[in-house]
Amino acid sequence: MKRPLGSAFLKLLYFVRPFRSTYMPAIFYSFLNKLFNLMPEILLATAVNTVVAKENSWLTNFGFHDLKVQLLVLGLLMMITYALESLFEYLSSTRWWNLAQLVQHTFRVQAFERVQKSTLRSSLDQKTGNLLSILNDDINQLERFLEEGINNIIEIIGATFFIGGVFFYLAPKVGIGVIAPIPIIVLAIFLVRKKIGFYYFNVRKKAGNIGALLANSLLRLLTTKSFVAEEIEKQRLERVSLDYREANFEAIKWGAVLEPAIRFLVLFGLLVTLVYGGILTIEEKLNVGIYSILMFLTPRLLTPFTDAAEIMVDFQKVIASTERLLDLFDLPVEQSPNTPIAVKGGITFANVGFAYQDKTATLRNVSFQIHPGEHVAFVGATGVGKSTLLHLLLGFFFPDVGTILYDDKDMHHVSLPVLRRQIGVVSQETILFEGTILENISYGYPEATREQIVQAAKNAAAHDFIMQFPQGYDTVLEERGQYLSGGQRQMLAIARAIVREPSILILDEATSAVDYATEAMLATTLREVSKRRTVVNITHKLSAAKLADRICVLENGTVVEQGTHSELLTKEGVYARFWKLQGESFSITNVKKL
Ligand SMILES: Nc1ncnc2c1ncn2[C@@H]1O[C@H](COP(=O)(O)OP(=O)(O)OP(=O)(O)O)[C@@H](O)[C@H]1O
Ligand SMILES: [Mg+2]
């Protein structure tokens, strides 16, 4: 959903509200800085008047009657003005930088937190690279604007009011002519701003597309190389990069037209002072001092407006970035009651039906009951919905119909984080991160002791290969554990799942990549591990399923058979057919004989 453009600005203001104590002084110092910045022109003009017209200036009111003394005083005032201008420059810029840092830091952390807390359904729609570009580029855009953009806007507003006031005080007739272009400039800026708002939103969107493509592409570098698809990837990048360029061009075009137009209007104001003010001076309706003040001040009033186009473009970029950022804050957050739960290990599915967005039902009428401490295997063809079961068990998604109970508590009524902490999961994709093996195993359970970690690794049959590394458990794994074998990664993932001694252990193809000898070893230790907890083992390997207390067979999105290995074989149904296909030659007992 797209919000009207203005509201992003209002929301931005709302978000920066907590930083009032930083931005209020920043605005104040900026105004003072701009004020002192204009003083030298007035002092110079006064000096010109003193020298050329040999007239007493306003300094006579302060008791300085000698013209040379007046010049000296002007020099002194000039020094003071410069010193104060520099002081307020320092004070304002440090405050703006501070605000920029505060805002970018807070926004980044809050947006990241929001993405993490969003429902899986909504985060699946988000492309990782696009999120990266929002959390990086778009927030940086905001930082840059706060550092400089606002300061420039204050300069324009300050100059308009201050110099405008001086003009109307000294020479109202000339003032009207000089000020006249300003409303036209402001109007032009507003009109163009309206026009380019959409373009810059588009630019940011295209930047997000580049991010999405880059992230996606770099993560599958190996696949790209093995399929010699480098050229295809390059062309893809070229396409989105070109898209970005074109979107930028559309946006830049309007800003580029605006700038010369503003210059022209500024020129008009300058000519008014030069010619009309000059005529009035010749006719002695205006004194030379005032004429020189006007001459010095007119460019100071109008030239900042030539930068207005650029400032407006920057502002529009920020609004576009803010829109994207605020979209993240609109993501639906995963919610669950605070009710804690102490899981004993019982799981009940009662007539559960579930469909992913816009899809036909993946699970239909699924019913089964698992008792605490039971070891149940789920088998079924690829795509039948086994991993979907796992998603439902963890509350990533909720069933469309039916209920899921933990022990006797409806999942809807318990705190999901509390529940998840009591479940150890080895998902189908093993994700390791940059850090030591120790950190990888104790991920999410930082209180784990070294002994617990080593024991978990032993139970996961990982200890031996870990000890082969010179640094053992302190070996630093690279990003995604990419220098480990697939099987080694799975063993670490199993260790990670069991280190926290969960009440329920869920394995989703946890041993798909380990060899049969390792699997046999794992089976023995897992039998130990499973004595103390419920185990849900989703697996293609019937050799592993065979060891379970009970096997649930899924077909067409529902449980069609349940029973022990031998019960199911005698039934001669789906499971018996699977068993025949895989062949007994792969069963654990045979491996042990090898
Ligand atoms: N996030 C998703 N959005 C939409 N459809 C999905 C999503 N995840 C899975 N599916 C679909 O749901 C069905 C079940 O997928 P699931 O991952 O549960 O299968 P599986 O039994 O685990 O398969 P495998 O044995 O290959 O792991 C598949 O048809 C799949 O295309
Ligand atoms: Mg799966």
Side-chain angles (χ1 to χ4, degrees), residues 181-193:
I182 293 181
I184 304 173
I185 294 174
V186 173
L187 185 73
I189 287 173
F190 269 92
L191 288 180
V192 174
R193 189 190 84 91

Side-chain angles (χ1 to χ4, degrees), residues 274-440:
L274 180 84
V275 180
Y276 181 53
I279 292 173
L280 288 181
T281 314
I282 293 170
E283 291 174 356
E284 294 191 349
K285 290 179 184 155
L286 207 64
N287 77 18
V288 178
I290 293 177
Y291 182 59
S292 17
I293 292 183
L294 299 188
M295 280 303 278
F296 278 117
L297 283 186
T298 310
R300 291 301 308 269
L301 170 69
L302 294 175
T303 33
F305 279 94
T306 51
D307 294 336
E310 207 181 313
I311 296 169
M312 185 269 300
V313 163
D314 285 347
F315 177 73
Q316 222 42 57
K317 283 182 187 169
V318 168
I319 290 298
S321 291
T322 308
E323 289 258 1
R324 277 161 58 76
L325 188 63
L326 293 180
D327 277 348
L328 295 188
F329 285 94
D330 284 345
L331 288 178
V333 168
E334 197 177 68
Q335 277 168 339
S336 68
N338 283 331
T339 325
I341 177 174
V343 178
K344 291 191 205 78
I347 302 171
T348 308
F349 267 56
N351 305 315
V352 168
F354 173 76
Y356 287 106
Q357 243 152 355
D358 313 326
K359 280 216 167 181
T360 50
T362 301
L363 295 177
R364 288 182 209 91
N365 210 16
V366 175
S367 294
F368 59 81
Q369 196 173 7
I370 301 174
H371 303 291
E374 206 180 0
H375 179 173
V376 178
F378 283 85
V379 298
T382 294
V384 75
K386 302 183 297 296
S387 298
T388 306
L389 276 185
L390 172 88
H391 290 156
L392 294 182
L393 278 169
L394 290 170
F396 292 152
F397 298 95
F398 280 96
D400 302 321
V401 284
T403 39
I404 301 175
L405 305 178
Y406 273 92
D407 302 322
D408 53 357
K409 290 201 180 69
D410 189 327
M411 241 185 113
H412 278 289
H413 302 145
V414 299
S415 151
L416 285 177
V418 174
L419 176 70
R420 286 177 192 155
R421 258 183 225 121
Q422 296 171 69
I423 302 177
V425 181
V426 182
S427 60
Q428 205 162 1
E429 289 163 62
T430 316
I431 307 292
L432 298 177
F433 56 87
E434 208 178 310
T436 63
I437 289 183
L438 211 71
E439 286 163 349
N440 266 282

Side-chain angles (χ1 to χ4, degrees), residues 22 28 40 55 125 143 150 153 197 216 228 281 283 300 334 347 390 396 411 422 425 433 516 526 538 546 562 573 575:
T22 310
F28 179 67
E55 270 181 18
D125 294 339
E143 181 189 346
I150 297 198
I153 292 177
N216 211 335
V228 200
T281 314
E283 291 174 356
R300 291 301 308 269
E334 197 177 68
I347 302 171
L390 172 88
F396 292 152
M411 241 185 113
Q422 296 171 69
V425 181
F433 56 87
Y516 282 94
L526 275 183
I538 297 168
K546 190 181 165 192
Q562 289 192 52
Y575 183 81

Side-chain angles (χ1 to χ4, degrees), residues 490-510:
Q490 285 192 334
M491 289 191 269
L492 286 187
I494 294 175
R496 176 194 287 170
I498 58 182
V499 71
R500 55 169 74 196
E501 297 275 342
S503 309
I504 298 173
L505 178 64
I506 307 178
L507 309 169
D508 188 359
E509 302 296 351

Side-chain angles (χ1 to χ4, degrees), residues 108 127-139 208 211-212 214-216 324 328:
R108 186 171 285 129
K127 292 195 171 105
T128 316
N130 186 39
L131 287 177
L132 276 178
S133 103
I134 296 177
L135 292 172
N136 246 333
D137 284 359
D138 287 307
I139 292 183
L214 283 177
N216 211 335
R324 277 161 58 76
L328 295 188

Side-chain angles (χ1 to χ4, degrees), residues 133-191:
S133 103
I134 296 177
L135 292 172
N136 246 333
D137 284 359
D138 287 307
I139 292 183
N140 289 347
Q141 199 84 251
L142 204 68
E143 181 189 346
R144 273 196 295 276
F145 185 71
L146 288 174
E147 269 177 10
E148 286 182 7
I150 297 198
N151 215 353
N152 291 339
I153 292 177
I154 290 177
E155 179 172 1
I156 292 184
I157 297 175
T160 307
F161 281 98
F162 180 70
I163 302 178
V166 171
F167 264 76
F168 276 101
Y169 177 70
L170 296 177
K173 277 191 203 157
V174 184
I176 289 174
V178 174
I179 303 265
I182 293 181
I184 304 173
I185 294 174
V186 173
L187 185 73
I189 287 173
F190 269 92
L191 288 180

